[in-house]
């Protein structure tokens, strides 16, 4: 009983330290978004924002501040930023930061593991066009760019980042006051953000392949529900989620995560198990019966074949 009480206390304590929101933000419009030939002369990590991209980032900052302040359970809310080391994400952060006073920002960290997918070094435009056509045929998740990465490679490093993020939260390395609403804002890239969501919500490779990319300075808001789970369905509408490529089953899962009284995840998300198995029997007795019948058929077939 003491052990159970300790676990209850620990879970309650950790719940207090959980961020109210985890918000993913893609960078503003870059020179590479405007003209892909920029990648042939400028290293990807040095591609800068356009004037439009800078304006998008400033607008995103205003939108984020309004979103957080108007839905805060306490007026004493705070933000903590994680940012990719690329020039376009750092510039996006600088512009977003103009919407937040110093007292609101409790920290910022440059995080290499949420950088853009590595497409190789300098990218020759005509060659990259052919390579991307090949990727569409091969599959976006597993295709590895020559001298670069696949989305699966990005998944591995984003997974490592997520482990570190949880340790930061669990050990309160962010120095969060539990009485304040904490909002983590992760400024990254389109693919890294989709892979982040894939890892977090246990989406399959097939589901990932149907996700649409984030627009420049577009956001995805994961908000903490009453049951202690994060969900996209608290802030975003069904129409938005469908537009982003989520299936109706995935949307139902997001709504389930909002609920304070939940059955087990596998019982609720039968579609997830169904994507791996043809069918699962209800009881061990049924499995044993199928095994015996199957074994009898094998033995009969063996005798018939031998004769």
């Amino acid at each position: 009983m003491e052990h159970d009480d300790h676990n209850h206390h620990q879970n309650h304590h950790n719940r207090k330290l959980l961020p109210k929101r985890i918000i993913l933000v893609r960078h503003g419009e870059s020179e590479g978004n405007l003209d892909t030939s920029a990648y042939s002369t400028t290293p990807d990590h040095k591609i800068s924002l356009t004037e439009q991209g800078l304006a998008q980032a400033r607008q995103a900052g205003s939108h984020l501040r309004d979103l957080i302040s108007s839905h805060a359970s306490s007026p004493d809310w705070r933000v903590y930023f994680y940012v990719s080391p690329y020039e376009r994400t750092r510039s996006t952060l600088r512009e977003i930061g103009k919407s937040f006073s110093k007292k609101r920002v409790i920290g910022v960290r440059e995080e290499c593991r949420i950088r853009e997918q590595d497409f190789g070094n300098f990218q020759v435009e005509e060659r990259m066009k052919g390579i991307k056509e090949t990727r569409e045929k091969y599959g976006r998740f597993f295709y590895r760019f020559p001298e670069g990465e696949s989305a699966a490679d990005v998944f591995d490093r984003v997974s490592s980042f997520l482990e570190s993020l949880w340790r930061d939260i669990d050990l309160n390395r962010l120095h969060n006051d539990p009485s304040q609403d904490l909002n983590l804002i992760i400024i990254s890239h389109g693919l890294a953000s989709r892979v982040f969501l894939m890892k977090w919500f246990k989406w399959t490779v097939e589901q990932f392949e149907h996700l649409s990319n984030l627009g420049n300075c577009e956001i995805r808001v994961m908000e903490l529900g009453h049951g202690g789970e994060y969900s996209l369905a608290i802030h975003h509408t069904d129409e938005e989620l469908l537009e982003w490529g989520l299936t109706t089953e995935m949307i139902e899962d997001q709504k389930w995560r909002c609920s304070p009284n939940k059955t087990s995840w596998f019982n609720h998300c039968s579609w997830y198990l169904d994507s791996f198995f043809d069918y699962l029997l209800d009881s061990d007795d049924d499995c044993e019966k199928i095994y015996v019948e199957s074994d009898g058929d094998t033995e009969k077939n063996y005798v018939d074949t031998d004769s």
Side-chain angles (χ1 to χ4, degrees):
M1 186 58 139
E2 290 178 358
H3 180 68
D4 290 341
D5 288 342
H6 171 74
N7 284 342
H8 175 77
H9 172 76
Q10 186 69 34
N11 291 336
H12 181 67
H13 176 70
N14 288 343
R15 175 69 195 276
K16 281 188 172 183
L17 294 176
L18 290 176
K20 174 75 172 176
R21 297 176 193 86
I22 300 174
I23 305 174
L24 304 174
V25 186
R26 186 188 174 200
H27 59 80
E29 181 189 75
S30 72
E31 296 290 352
N33 294 143
L34 201 60
D35 181 6
T36 55
S37 67
Y39 295 111
S40 63
T41 56
T42 306
D44 194 1
H45 64 278
K46 291 186 177 180
I47 294 286
S48 59
L49 293 183
T50 63
E51 286 302 317
Q52 172 70 7
L54 292 167
Q56 289 172 337
R58 286 191 291 273
Q59 185 176 7
S62 177
H63 175 55
L64 287 167
R65 184 198 62 226
D66 291 346
L67 184 162
I68 293 168
S69 62
S70 62
H71 295 89
S73 56
S74 162
D76 201 21
W77 52 266
R78 296 290 187 270
V79 294
Y80 191 103
F81 292 98
Y82 289 90
V83 63
S84 157
Y86 280 36
E87 172 62 28
R88 55 188 178 273
T89 42
R90 291 285 300 266
S91 295
T92 300
L93 171 62
R94 279 191 289 272
E95 297 305 313
I96 285 176
K98 293 175 181 178
S99 292
F100 296 93
S101 64
K102 186 177 291 187
K103 78 168 188 175
R104 298 294 186 184
V105 181
I106 64 171
V108 60
R109 184 180 305 172
E110 182 177 277
E111 177 51 70
C112 285
R113 290 172 292 182
I114 58 172
R115 69 187 184 276
E116 176 64 290
Q117 179 180 7
D118 188 349
F119 297 105
N121 296 318
F122 291 107
Q123 300 167 31
V124 180
E125 190 172 8
E126 282 304 311
R127 179 169 177 258
M128 285 302 293
K129 183 179 178 182
I131 288 172
K132 289 184 177 180
E133 288 174 356
T134 303
R135 178 182 63 170
E136 292 303 315
K137 296 176 184 176
Y138 191 89
R140 298 178 69 88
F141 188 77
F142 291 113
Y143 181 80
R144 178 176 285 115
F145 283 84
E147 303 173 357
E149 290 181 303
S150 66
D153 296 325
V154 179
F155 180 92
D156 290 342
R157 56 176 163 84
V158 168
S159 297
S160 170
F161 164 66
L162 263 173
E163 293 298 323
S164 300
L165 180 66
W166 272 116
R167 285 195 296 272
D168 287 346
I169 294 169
D170 193 47
L171 300 175
N172 199 19
R173 291 172 179 162
L174 307 181
H175 306 294
N176 174 41
D177 182 339
S179 67
Q180 300 168 347
D181 276 354
L182 176 61
N183 300 269
L184 300 186
I185 301 177
I186 301 173
I187 302 173
S188 183
H189 307 265
L191 180 79
S193 297
R194 281 178 285 153
V195 163
F196 182 100
L197 294 170
M198 176 189 180
K199 170 65 176 175
W200 190 288
F201 293 121
K202 305 183 181 75
W203 292 341
T204 65
V205 171
E206 183 179 0
Q207 289 169 330
F208 167 85
E209 296 279 5
H210 290 92
L211 297 176
S212 59
N213 198 13
L214 287 76
N216 293 122
C217 278
E218 193 173 356
I219 68 172
R220 301 285 188 267
V221 181
M222 300 162 54
E223 189 161 332
L224 188 64
H226 295 298
E229 294 266 4
Y230 287 92
S231 172
L232 294 166
I234 297 175
H235 180 78
H236 300 292
T237 64
D238 288 10
E239 290 73 22
E240 285 179 299
L241 299 180
L242 283 169
E243 184 180 342
W244 298 341
L246 276 72
T247 63
T248 53
E249 292 86 359
M250 294 163 74
I251 294 172
E252 284 305 310
D253 173 47
Q254 293 298 316
K255 292 179 177 179
W256 171 84
R257 291 171 183 274
C258 305
S259 172
N261 301 308
K262 297 190 289 289
T263 56
S264 77
W265 190 78
F266 282 115
N267 285 339
H268 170 75
C269 296
S270 58
W271 57 265
Y272 189 83
L273 289 176
D274 290 344
S275 68
F276 292 94
F277 303 100
D278 291 332
Y279 60 87
L280 291 174
L281 299 171
D282 292 330
S283 70
D284 291 341
D285 290 340
D286 290 336
C287 292
E288 184 67 26
K289 182 180 178 182
I290 291 292
Y291 176 77
V292 170
E293 290 176 353
S294 175
D295 191 52
D297 289 341
T298 302
E299 186 174 317
K300 181 177 182 297
N301 290 335
Y302 175 76
V303 172
D304 290 344
T305 303
D306 190 52
S307 64

